Amino acid sequence: MGQLTLEDALRADEASGTAQEASVRDAAPITLSGNLHKMSIVPAGEALAIDTSAEVQPGSHEPLAADYGLRLGEITQPLNAYIGHKVRLSFTGQIHCSHCGRKTKKSFAQGHCYPCFRKLPQCDGCIMKPETCHYAEGTCRDPQWGEEHCFQPHIVYLANSSGLKVGITRKTQMPTRWFDQGAIQALPIVEVSNRLQSGLVEVLFKQALNDRTNWRAMLKGDVAELDLEAERDALLAQMSEGLAALQAHCGEGAIRVLDTTALAFEFPVRTAPTKVTSFNFDKTPVVEGVLEGLKGQYLILDSGVINLRKFTGYEIEAQLGEP
């Protein structure tokens, strides 16, 4: 290794000082308010395009990182720089529907008033259970919405957030979906033509795999890495007859097995909790502490954790950084 010259050292020190100044500037104290939305999660660096049309997806061994943003009303405030700083979130007692803006005493389906919960297609039961899609029966709450959101390519994937699980997502949601659930690894395994088909494949695979995340284990971060390619191969071998039957039922090319490589993810977490204490704005209207990290849709504070997505529509006053 070459010796570091004085000029190199001064240049490195100047760069370090500039980076520190930028970090302080980015984490300047700020107060803002508005109706809460799920945090924005944008993959850091260049946009990632996952080409499932390729026979083999070139894989990177470098984990993908993400930039988080706190969304209050029309404002999105970057959050990563506030790790290590104090934050305070205060619920004003007001809740507004994220769709129509109506004031409501209770939030349904992550941010909706009861009338919207009853009539909107995105709140229908088939969203949670896509295999129950009833579009073909002519009873879709909004056929145009269904065509725009459900009749799009979907991916059935394996993920490791608290252990191995199977899940589905619209193709356009990769890789944001996996950041959103706190996965440290993910692997697309099947591509289908629409949401109904993704649900049918997921139901098949759930005979062998879990489809839920243990959020406490996910936040603690004590999850072992898995060989997702080997898990995929074992699953496809076990479910080969059932998958072939679904392919025959849905038609040629509707359900396509993918040959891709697993992706890895890292999250901006300084200190993971050893004991998970969860906050609820309905019971604790003021949540504050030092921000230790961001994972999934959770703020990790030194005083506990809170799932911001759960409180979509809640009016929040936020203080970020030292007062």
Side-chain angles (χ1 to χ4, degrees):
M1 179 182 293
Q3 185 173 351
L4 184 68
T5 66
L6 176 60
E7 184 179 355
D8 291 334
L10 290 174
R11 197 158 42 233
D13 183 65
E14 181 181 356
S16 175
T18 302
Q20 290 177 7
E21 291 173 5
S23 176
V24 170
R25 184 168 61 251
D26 291 344
I30 187 172
T31 299
L32 57 159
S33 63
N35 293 326
L36 187 65
H37 300 272
K38 63 175 288 190
M39 286 190 288
S40 67
I41 305 177
V42 179
E46 296 183 1
L48 175 69
I50 301 176
D51 183 10
T52 57
S53 64
E55 286 301 315
V56 177
Q57 171 68 29
S60 170
H61 295 292
E62 292 297 323
L64 302 173
D67 294 319
Y68 275 76
L70 176 66
R71 297 172 59 209
L72 292 175
E74 300 299 319
I75 300 172
T76 298
Q77 174 62 39
L79 278 178
N80 290 39
Y82 287 94
I83 293 175
H85 296 260
K86 291 182 179 179
V87 301
R88 176 186 173 96
L89 303 178
S90 303
F91 172 42
T92 68
Q94 303 290 317
I95 306 173
H96 293 89
C97 177
S98 60
H99 180 77
C100 72
R102 179 189 287 114
K103 185 178 177 181
T104 177
K105 293 183 178 180
K106 185 177 179 181
S107 174
F108 298 86
Q110 297 176 343
H112 296 88
C113 63
Y114 188 70
C116 285
F117 169 69
R118 293 284 297 171
K119 72 179 183 181
L120 292 177
Q122 57 266 42
C123 297
D124 204 348
C126 53
I127 296 300
M128 296 301 295
K129 295 184 177 181
E131 69 277 9
T132 64
C133 172
H134 46 95
Y135 179 94
E137 300 171 11
T139 55
C140 181
R141 291 183 176 183
D142 185 340
Q144 182 177 348
W145 188 94
E147 290 163 8
E148 293 174 354
H149 292 82
C150 301
F151 286 84
Q152 303 295 330
H154 279 62
I155 296 295
V156 183
Y157 61 84
L158 296 181
N160 180 16
S161 49
S162 60
L164 187 63
K165 62 159 284 183
V166 61
I168 66 173
T169 187
R170 281 201 310 273
K171 188 175 179 178
T172 55
Q173 291 300 103
M174 299 187 298
T176 305
R177 171 59 180 156
W178 301 316
F179 281 112
D180 201 40
Q181 63 183 211
I184 61 171
Q185 295 171 282
L187 176 65
I189 57 174
V190 174
E191 181 174 343
V192 300
S193 298
N194 57 55
R195 187 172 177 83
L196 169 61
Q197 293 166 357
S198 71
L200 296 175
V201 175
E202 185 184 37
V203 167
L204 174 68
F205 289 167
K206 283 196 297 185
Q207 296 177 28
L209 294 178
N210 187 17
D211 68 331
R212 296 185 180 276
T213 295
N214 181 329
W215 60 273
R216 288 185 173 84
M218 179 270 289
L219 290 173
K220 289 180 179 179
D222 51 358
V223 180
E225 291 189 3
L226 300 171
D227 185 342
L228 293 188
E229 287 91 347
E231 297 287 355
R232 170 199 61 199
D233 294 343
L235 176 65
L236 293 176
Q238 181 181 354
M239 297 298 171
S240 59
E241 290 186 8
L243 188 58
L246 281 179
Q247 288 172 320
H249 172 74
C250 295
E252 183 178 356
I255 298 177
R256 184 166 67 91
V257 175
L258 303 173
D259 184 10
T260 60
T261 54
L263 298 168
F265 306 91
E266 63 181 10
F267 297 84
V269 176
R270 185 176 74 163
T271 306
T274 55
K275 181 180 179 181
V276 179
T277 302
S278 179
F279 288 116
N280 183 325
F281 281 130
D282 294 322
K283 298 177 180 179
T284 308
V286 177
V287 174
E288 57 186 333
V290 175
L291 182 61
E292 296 290 345
L294 303 155
K295 193 171 186 182
Q297 280 291 319
Y298 284 85
L299 294 186
I300 301 174
L301 308 175
D302 63 350
S303 54
V305 305
I306 185 165
N307 180 354
L308 294 190
R309 184 175 189 172
K310 180 179 178 181
F311 301 100
T312 299
Y314 282 53
E315 186 178 72
I316 300 296
E317 295 177 353
Q319 293 179 343
L320 307 179
E322 295 292 338

